[in-house]
Amino acid sequence: MTLIQDFGGVRVRAPGKINVFLAVGGRHDDGYHELATAFQAVSLYEDVVATASDELTISVTGDVDIAGVPEDESNLALRAARLLAEETGTRLGAHLDVRKAVPVAGGMGGGSADAAAALVACDALWGTGLAARELQELGARLGADVPFALMGGTAIGTGRGDRLNPALARGRFDWVLVESPFGLSTPDVYRELDRLREEEGAGASAPAVEATVLQALRAGDPEALAETLRNDLQEAALSLRPDLRALLDRGIARGAVAGLVSGSGPTVAFLAADAEQAKRLSRALRDEGLRAMRVHGPVHGARVV
Ligand code: C5P
């Protein structure tokens, strides 16, 4: 059986994510922080189409502003393809056509989804046939969120966020995302968190995902999840982008059951009681001139479509 599709290439789709719980512990010497997080993959996808080529090249297009996305060797999808080629010793090449829908530098793991999709696409195109576990291991070397973009669904992440355990989740959760016209740099947000903690003389305790989060996910209960949403990066993101505070209040005033900054931000995720409420909320926010979109989770991880 060949995985090459009719058009002579492979198309892979990988999801963006929301951290419904993100506890940040201390900073290690390598600059990374100890995390305990609950990820939910949501229905906003990056597509990567890999076609055979003598070299490794990339082009990027998208429904979102792609101004900040490099099309050179520093692009994470291209680095993923190169890493896979090096590790498997293949001499084959590929052209990667990345189509972005996840906001760039938005805190939703769009770059990580590109890398996950590129790994799966090139593995299929080149017939290198790595096991899921091997792809996860390569993914972790590319970025802390890449293993989750491969796995999808709902999962608990520890370590840098790259040590994953699937979590049980029932039903579906409806979210309204509000995109920001400017991105935030993830390292900047972590640095700001360190600065705020130093200023407050607050030490970081060992992070753990609270049992109430797992219960809410397992029950498929948005009201219960609303009570347990937490993002330790939110204070740092709001410190760099104070305008997001008013946005959070606005979403709640328009009926969201809860709102939080997604990952390192600046995308804000509002949890709705159901699909109908999400529809009303996104319409209301859009009427006010905001870039609001409706998504749901959990959804599958990177896979050939
Ligand atoms: O692994 P990734 O490239 O996605 O991480 C981007 C940046 O986010 C890191 O360079 C680091 O500054 C910060 N980070 C962190 N601790 C983590 C994950 C990311 O400090 N667990």
Side-chain angles (χ1 to χ4, degrees), residues 27 31-35 112 142-145 159-161 186-188 190:
R27 186 172 165 278
Y32 275 84
H33 294 71
E34 188 70 20
L35 301 186
S112 302
L142 292 159
D145 290 336
R160 297 168 163 199
T186 302
D188 285 356
Y190 275 98

Side-chain angles (χ1 to χ4, degrees), residues 16-237:
K17 55 84 188 169
I18 295 171
N19 301 83
V20 299
F21 184 94
L22 176 57
V24 181
R27 186 172 165 278
H28 295 298
D29 290 341
D30 63 4
Y32 275 84
H33 294 71
E34 188 70 20
L35 301 186
T37 187
F39 291 105
Q40 183 171 105
V42 294
S43 58
L44 192 59
Y45 303 98
E46 304 281 87
D47 280 343
V48 172
V49 176
T51 42
S53 168
D54 293 337
E55 301 166 85
L56 269 178
T57 52
I58 193 162
S59 55
V60 181
T61 53
D63 306 334
V64 289
D65 181 7
I66 55 162
V69 184
E71 287 190 74
D72 60 15
E73 288 300 315
S74 67
N75 183 288
L76 201 57
L78 201 53
R79 284 173 47 206
R82 202 166 289 289
L83 179 64
L84 179 68
E86 279 164 16
E87 288 296 313
T88 58
T90 183
R91 289 166 177 272
L92 300 171
H95 176 72
L96 302 178
D97 179 8
V98 178
R99 298 171 193 181
K100 298 188 69 69
V102 178
V104 175
M108 293 196 59
S112 302
D114 296 348
L119 283 176
V120 173
C122 290
D123 185 52
L125 182 72
W126 297 336
T128 39
L130 294 197
R133 172 179 42 81
E134 295 172 303
L135 290 174
Q136 293 274 337
E137 193 268 321
L138 291 187
R141 284 158 60 183
L142 292 159
D145 290 336
V146 181
F148 179 69
L150 287 162
M151 178 187 269
T154 307
I156 302 306
T158 53
R160 297 168 163 199
D162 55 349
R163 282 209 301 270
L164 297 179
N165 278 302
L168 281 178
R170 191 182 308 146
R172 87 177 218 165
F173 293 90
D174 289 278
W175 300 88
V176 175
L177 304 172
V178 178
E179 202 187 320
S180 185
F182 309 101
L184 269 176
S185 139
T186 302
D188 285 356
V189 177
Y190 275 98
R191 246 192 313 273
E192 181 66 2
L193 177 67
D194 292 338
R195 193 189 67 77
L196 290 172
R197 282 180 171 173
E198 208 169 298
E199 207 172 77
E200 291 161 10
S205 48
V209 175
E210 280 158 31
T212 45
V213 180
L214 299 173
Q215 281 159 13
L217 291 167
R218 211 161 41 223
D221 182 345
E223 270 88 10
L225 187 64
E227 296 294 318
T228 58
L229 290 174
R230 165 174 160 189
N231 179 5
D232 285 2
L233 290 177
Q234 177 158 314
E235 196 192 337

